[in-house]
């Protein structure tokens, strides 16, 4: 496994790979790797000749009062995990190298302003910009993302379509702890008690899943989900939404494929989770 820090070094490695006709799979991450990330790497390994993992805590996707400065890091452990997972190249650039005198940003309008975009107005601009850069730098044929960040995937798909990127995006299932809590690097911020309390997110989604089979009115389902979240008195709901899986618009009736998504502040961590319901 090779480990490089600069864009030029990545190019020196991937150009010959590309020339020889081999396929490249990219897994973009912010590091502090867990089984969720590893599931993407495994899938990329199965479907490509050459696997690139990027580890980059991207400053442009964090708002002013967010956790950019304290985001968990453990590069040594991440590199070991990548090596064990059969990764060919790890790219872990510095912010200075990625954003030297940077003037160009990509914003996927409309989709970026919904759900998480309401309270994180610059987040998806940062995500789209860094992913566009990573797609170009790695020359990947395929890139792998988790359904955990469902809105991110939908936005990136639209960017790829609108800007004609020659890359295929793959959405991979959410990996959970045994308890049901979706794995996230930010779970590190939670105490054992908070982790247990955070299970209301999963419980409310399970309730939604069972209700979706019979009920067609989203507001009824959302009200039940709210009740479950409120069982933890300090949990603060950012949003609970049932939206069209493609355009993220609220639906009035469950008559198409929907995304049931929520964001809840549980103590020190803002947690997101979701399910996709296909009619
Ligand atoms: P992050 O390092 O949090 O930016 O995540 C990097 C990639 O891993 C994103 O595509 C996430 O959606 C994905 N990911 C994060 N958590 C999970 C999870 N629990 N299951 C599956 N994929 C995940």
């Amino acid at each position: 496994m090779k480990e490089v820090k600069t864009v030029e070094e990545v190019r020196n490695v991937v150009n010959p790979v590309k020339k020889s006709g081999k396929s490249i799979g990219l897994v973009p991450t912010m590091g502090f790797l867990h089984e969720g990330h590893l599931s993407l790497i495994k899938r990329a390994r199965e479907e490509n000749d050459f696997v690139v993992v990027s580890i980059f805590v991207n400053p442009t996707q964090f708002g002013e009062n967010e956790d950019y400065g304290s985001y968990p890091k453990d590069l040594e452990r991440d590199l070991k995990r990548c090596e064990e997972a059969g990764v060919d190249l790890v790219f872990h650039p510095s912010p200075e190298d990625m954003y030297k005198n940077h003037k160009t940003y990509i914003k996927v309008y409309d989709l970026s302003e919904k759900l998480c975009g309401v309270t994180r107005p610059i987040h998806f601009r940062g995500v789209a910009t860094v992913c566009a850069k990573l797609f170009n730098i790695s020359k990947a044929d395929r890139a792998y993302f988790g359904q955990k960040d469902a809105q991110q995937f939908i936005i990136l798909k639209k960017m790829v379509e609108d800007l004609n990127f020659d890359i295929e995006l793959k959405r991979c299932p959410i990996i959970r702890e045994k308890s049901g809590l979706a794995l996230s690097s930010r779970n590190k911020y939670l105490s054992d008690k908070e982790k247990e309390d955070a299970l209301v997110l999963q419980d409310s989604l399970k309730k939604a899943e069972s209700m979706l089979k019979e009920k067609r009115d989203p507001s009824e389902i959302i009200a039940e989900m709210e009740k479950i979240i409120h069982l933890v008195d300090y949990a603060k709901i950012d949003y609970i939404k049932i939206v069209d899986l493609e355009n993220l618009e609220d639906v009035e009736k469950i008559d198409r494929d929907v995304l049931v998504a929520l964001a809840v502040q549980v103590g020190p961590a803002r947690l997101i989770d979701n399910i996709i319901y296909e009619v």
Side-chain angles (χ1 to χ4, degrees):
M1 184 181 84
K2 286 205 172 79
E3 173 209 335
V4 301
K5 283 195 178 135
T6 67
V7 172
E8 195 188 348
E9 287 172 300
V10 179
R11 295 234 155 103
N12 289 340
V13 177
V14 298
N15 283 349
V17 174
K18 207 68 191 167
K19 264 207 187 116
S20 68
K22 289 184 174 160
S23 61
I24 299 178
L26 169 70
V27 182
T29 81
M30 298 209 297
F32 209 66
L33 302 182
H34 51 64
E35 292 300 320
H37 298 112
L38 294 178
S39 72
L40 309 186
I41 294 173
K42 183 162 177 276
R43 175 100 180 263
R45 184 68 283 169
E46 284 163 7
E47 297 179 359
N48 299 276
D49 300 316
F50 194 87
V51 174
V52 181
V53 171
S54 60
I55 297 176
F56 181 56
V57 182
N58 174 36
T60 64
Q61 70 187 65
F62 287 80
E64 260 180 34
N65 299 318
E66 295 181 2
D67 55 348
Y68 176 63
S70 56
Y71 195 83
K73 287 191 182 74
D74 191 340
L75 183 62
E76 220 168 286
R77 195 184 64 175
D78 288 349
L79 290 172
K80 200 160 155 265
R81 292 197 146 183
C82 286
E83 175 110 57
E84 285 165 3
V87 171
D88 296 295
L89 175 67
V90 175
F91 175 44
H92 56 97
S94 68
E96 295 73 31
D97 194 38
M98 284 295 267
Y99 289 107
K100 216 176 335 179
N101 191 27
H102 200 84
K103 306 283 186 201
T104 309
Y105 289 89
I106 296 177
K107 182 169 172 192
V108 179
Y109 282 84
D110 192 31
L111 296 176
S112 297
E113 286 133 36
K114 300 187 189 312
L115 306 182
C116 288
V118 174
T119 50
R120 307 187 75 191
I122 63 157
H123 177 66
F124 291 112
R125 185 187 77 145
V127 170
T129 303
V130 81
C131 285
K133 287 166 74 70
L134 291 169
F135 295 169
N136 284 332
I137 293 165
S138 68
K139 297 195 165 66
D141 299 278
R142 302 182 190 91
Y144 295 79
F145 295 90
Q147 186 196 312
K148 165 88 188 330
D149 298 272
Q151 184 177 12
Q152 163 175 287
F153 184 81
I154 290 163
I155 288 170
L156 293 174
K157 277 281 260 199
K158 192 77 189 100
M159 175 185 84
V160 162
E161 184 190 330
D162 288 354
L163 298 182
N164 310 100
F165 277 89
D166 194 7
I167 190 168
E168 193 184 345
L169 304 193
K170 303 272 193 173
R171 175 166 50 206
C172 306
I174 301 177
I175 305 298
R176 299 175 179 280
E177 287 186 3
K178 271 206 194 86
S179 65
L181 182 66
L183 287 172
S184 163
S185 306
R186 287 189 171 102
N187 290 354
K188 184 182 192 289
Y189 301 148
L190 301 174
S191 67
D192 288 345
K193 166 83 168 56
E194 285 159 346
K195 272 192 171 181
E196 209 183 302
D197 289 341
L199 293 178
V200 289
L201 273 75
Q202 158 83 344
D203 293 344
S204 71
L205 287 168
K206 276 197 185 141
K207 178 77 181 171
E209 199 165 29
S210 70
M211 285 180 82
L212 279 161
K213 292 185 186 122
E214 290 143 28
K215 301 262 188 287
R216 289 285 170 259
D217 177 6
S219 57
E220 231 179 290
I221 301 171
I222 290 171
E224 286 303 313
M225 293 176 74
E226 276 171 359
K227 270 192 215 158
I228 294 173
I229 304 282
H230 284 143
L231 292 173
V232 174
D233 56 1
Y234 65 93
K236 287 200 187 72
I237 297 173
D238 177 351
Y239 64 80
I240 300 178
K241 289 267 189 187
I242 301 183
V243 295
D244 181 294
L245 187 56
E246 272 182 31
N247 61 24
L248 300 178
E249 298 280 354
D250 288 329
V251 294
E252 281 171 15
K253 238 177 34 195
I254 313 296
D255 55 1
R256 67 198 92 167
D257 296 347
V258 292
L259 173 71
V260 184
L262 46 74
V264 180
Q265 187 80 30
V266 179
R270 181 181 178 278
L271 303 176
I272 56 170
D273 203 343
N274 67 79
I275 54 167
I276 289 173
Y277 182 79
E278 289 168 332
V279 292

